[in-house]
Amino acid sequence: IDIDNFKTVNDSWGHDFGDAILKEISRRITDAVGDNNLTSRLGGDEFTILLADIHKKEDITYHLHNIQEALSAPHIIQGQLLYSTASIGVSVYPENGKDAEFLVKQADLAMFHVKESGRNNFFQYSDTLEESIRRKKVLRQQLLSAIANQELEVHYQPILSSDTLEIIKVEALLRWNSSTYGAIPPSEFIPLAESNGS
């Protein structure tokens, strides 16, 4: 579990305030999952939960909804009203792995996917997710050098008048032909460029 946008809390109100809200968040998460499960803070604004009383997949969803509901209630810390949300990655033993460290890594990848997809949600790890995340990371890095490598092209598309069929405007469209993956659709690389600040 990673608390969304927590850095802005520390930046705005200081680390003592941040610590106070983390204690409240920790209490709420622990209460939400119950005594039969283990909650721990990894560091910063990251928490790990070991759900031991799971008998079917719906049990996981039940606990995750409880966590989201608990965190969505307003916090009043030092007279300040705040709201918190969390991005949650899930891995399941033995389906996603049998080693604790590996399971945490898989859950972290799933959590990263939630962050990339808009936050305040949960997602379970899958093999296809790992490939998708790896591809995004590679594309994000390659996009930084795409101009220098002459991989970006501007294509012009005429816009015609429906009455006269004359060209009245031209739309400029950016296209990327990656040296690794070939033609990358704008729907994939434009969000990456925006998140890079490019």
Side-chain angles (χ1 to χ4, degrees), residues 107-123:
D108 198 48
L109 285 171
M111 185 269 296
F112 178 78
H113 173 72
V114 174
K115 291 274 190 193
E116 291 274 303
S117 303
R119 305 172 194 265
N120 191 24
N121 209 339
F122 54 84
F123 194 83

Side-chain angles (χ1 to χ4, degrees), residues 47 54 59 86 126 151 171:
F47 296 83
I54 299 300
D59 294 340
S126 68
E151 294 177 356
E171 184 178 22

